Amino acid sequence: VKVAECNGNQGFQCWNEKCGAGVTSPPSDCYTGDIVCQHGNGECYGNLVETCVKNATKEDASKYMPFVYCFEASGDASPALLNKCAPMFGLNPQVISSCAAGPSGKALMAKDAKATAMVQGRDYVPYITVNGKVLQDTSLLLYTICYDYKGTKPSGCPF
C-alpha cells in the first residue's frame, strides 16, 4: 500500500481511513506499493499464500478451503506448513511460494483488497454474510449456513 501520507506504525489505520470501506474517492495509489496487513508480516505471508492457492484452484472453495484449514490449523502460517499442506491437496508448494513472493501474489492481494473495500457497511472483521445477510454472531455460522442451504443438507449440518 503506497498512499503517500500513510507511513510508520499507523500504516494500516491510515490506509483504512483513506482507502477502506465506505471511501468513495480513494487515492489512485491505494493498491500499489508494499502490502500492509493489520496483524503484520506473518498475516501478509499467510494471505499471499492463500490468495495464490485460491487462484491455483480457480477459486473453487471445495479445493482451497481444505488447504486453508491445514495451513492455519496451528495458528502459524509458515513456509514449513505450506510445504506440508500443499502436496496433501495436490498443490505444488514451489509454485504457490513463487506466486506469493512475486508480482502475481501482489496483484491477487490487490484484487482481494479492492473486493473487501467495496463491501458496504463492513467496519469490523470477521464480517460474514450468508445469502446477503450480515451474520452478527459468528458462533451461529454453521447453523445459519445449514438453515439457509436449499439442497440436501450436508452431513456436517446438525439438523
Side-chain angles (χ1 to χ4, degrees):
V1 175
K2 199 171 202 165
V3 182
E5 308 92 82
C6 298
N7 295 323
N9 295 332
Q10 299 302 314
F12 176 79
Q13 181 180 350
C14 175
W15 182 90
N16 204 38
E17 290 169 4
K18 307 258 184 220
C19 307
V23 175
T24 54
S25 298
S28 62
D29 63 349
C30 281
Y31 302 97
T32 63
D34 295 335
I35 295 172
V36 176
C37 296
Q38 184 175 3
H39 300 108
N41 291 336
E43 179 186 22
C44 284
Y45 172 76
N47 291 347
L48 282 160
V49 166
E50 290 175 9
T51 196
C52 288
V53 167
K54 189 173 156 186
N55 185 63
T57 60
K58 299 181 181 7
E59 300 194 12
D60 182 341
S62 69
K63 294 180 180 173
Y64 69 78
M65 285 307 296
F67 168 84
V68 170
Y69 181 77
C70 177
F71 187 61
E72 291 192 1
S74 73
D76 177 33
S78 67
L81 278 173
L82 169 60
N83 290 329
K84 173 189 169 194
C85 297
M88 294 169 61
F89 302 102
L91 299 163
N92 182 325
Q94 288 78 27
V95 170
I96 301 302
S97 184
S98 292
C99 171
S104 295
K106 190 172 180 179
L108 290 167
M109 282 282 284
K111 177 183 160 199
D112 289 349
K114 287 176 187 176
T116 299
M118 296 303 293
V119 175
Q120 295 299 312
R122 181 199 60 80
D123 59 357
Y124 58 90
V125 292
Y127 186 84
I128 301 170
T129 61
V130 178
N131 288 337
K133 296 177 281 188
V134 176
L135 181 64
Q136 299 289 335
D137 182 351
T138 58
S139 71
L140 297 175
L141 179 61
L142 178 62
Y143 172 82
T144 303
I145 290 171
C146 290
Y147 181 80
D148 282 8
Y149 189 72
K150 301 302 178 210
T152 302
K153 303 291 185 207
S155 61
C157 286
F159 55 88

